Amino acid sequence: MPKKRKNMEKLQVLDKTFAISIPEAEIQKQVSRVAAEITRDLAGKSPLFLPVLNGSFIFAADLLRQIPIPCEVSFIKLASYQGTQSTGHIHEVIGLNADITGRHIVIVEDIIDSGMTMAHMIETLQAQNPASIKVCSLLVKPEALKVRIPIDYCAMEIPNDFIVGYGLDYNGFGRNTKNIYTLIKD
Ligand code: 5GP
Ligand code: MG
């Protein structure tokens, strides 16, 4: 397919139309880069990866298969988002069964928008005295950040637009794509 037509690729999710903004090849290239950085930094530290459900499930699966060092993975969950605007409502971290005391933690997120969710997460985990906490996010919206948080690994920075795909949803739909799509403003 000619490049021009591919760039125009649209995705309909419920009542909204999205246009392709990050193709699969670019996502995979940046995921590989971040995986190499984490492998270099955490070799010998037996890290515990904490991917945040639901949004990071595809990113975590791709990322972790490219990190060949001994490590553990435990999915956690919290919800702070509805529709296309952050509600600011933060819920508790659930699903953390592992003892993280003295462990090197890597939080694996889909996207950092205001940063509120991640700030809360770091605070909650810090209370359990891990050896270190690193933050790894597939996407960061630098213009939307409202709080200062350390972002150790970031695959891609994006503008302050609403995106779906590669794990990220719009009202529960649109997660199951290989590319990332941006909401077309009407
Ligand atoms: P924050 O607390 O940083 O404002 O929001 C983080 C959470 O909001 C993310 O983990 C994600 O679930 C959701 N979120 C933020 N921006 C977007 C976006 O553009 N698309 C989707 N699908 N979710 C988003
Ligand atoms: Mg998330």
Side-chain angles (χ1 to χ4, degrees):
M1 196 185 282
K3 204 167 183 223
K4 195 157 179 246
R5 269 197 69 192
K6 204 161 183 207
N7 286 341
M8 296 291 288
E9 192 185 316
K10 298 270 180 13
L11 177 75
Q12 187 70 29
V13 183
L14 302 174
D15 61 328
K16 304 240 182 280
T17 308
F18 295 79
I20 189 168
S21 52
I22 314 177
E24 179 185 9
E26 177 63 15
I27 298 170
Q28 293 303 331
K29 185 176 151 196
Q30 299 306 332
V31 170
S32 298
R33 175 184 55 78
V34 167
E37 290 172 15
I38 292 174
T39 301
R40 177 198 65 204
D41 294 351
L42 291 168
K45 293 191 168 168
S46 190
L48 169 61
F49 289 90
L50 300 179
V52 184
L53 290 172
N54 294 322
S56 75
F57 77 108
I58 293 178
F59 174 44
D62 282 348
L63 180 77
L64 284 156
R65 280 180 293 178
Q66 296 194 59
I67 298 178
I69 61 175
C71 65
E72 287 182 282
V73 187
S74 181
F75 284 83
I76 56 175
K77 188 160 186 171
L78 53 77
S80 69
Y81 213 78
Q82 269 184 337
T84 58
Q85 297 223 318
S86 190
T87 60
H89 295 147
I90 308 294
H91 300 272
E92 283 306 302
V93 176
I94 55 169
L96 182 60
N97 303 317
D99 180 8
I100 67 166
T101 309
R103 298 296 303 271
H104 293 280
I105 302 298
V106 183
I107 304 170
V108 180
E109 253 291 22
D110 53 357
I111 186 163
I112 295 175
D113 186 341
S114 69
M116 303 290 282
T117 307
M118 186 54 75
H120 177 78
M121 182 89 79
I122 293 168
E123 195 185 316
T124 307
L125 296 175
Q126 200 71 65
Q128 298 181 42
N129 296 315
S132 67
I133 298 180
K134 294 212 182 285
V135 173
C136 172
S137 189
L138 172 70
L139 301 161
V140 177
K141 296 179 182 175
E143 295 158 27
L145 273 174
K146 291 202 178 78
V147 286
R148 278 174 65 91
I149 45 166
I151 302 172
D152 302 280
Y153 308 102
C154 163
M156 293 163 290
E157 294 190 344
I158 58 167
N160 197 5
D161 299 321
F162 187 77
I163 58 104
V164 292
Y166 195 70
L168 290 105
D169 74 308
Y170 164 55
N171 284 350
F173 288 82
R175 297 188 194 276
N176 52 322
T177 68
K178 293 178 178 177
N179 307 312
I180 288 172
Y181 299 81
T182 300
L183 180 66
I184 296 174
K185 287 174 190 144
D186 33 35

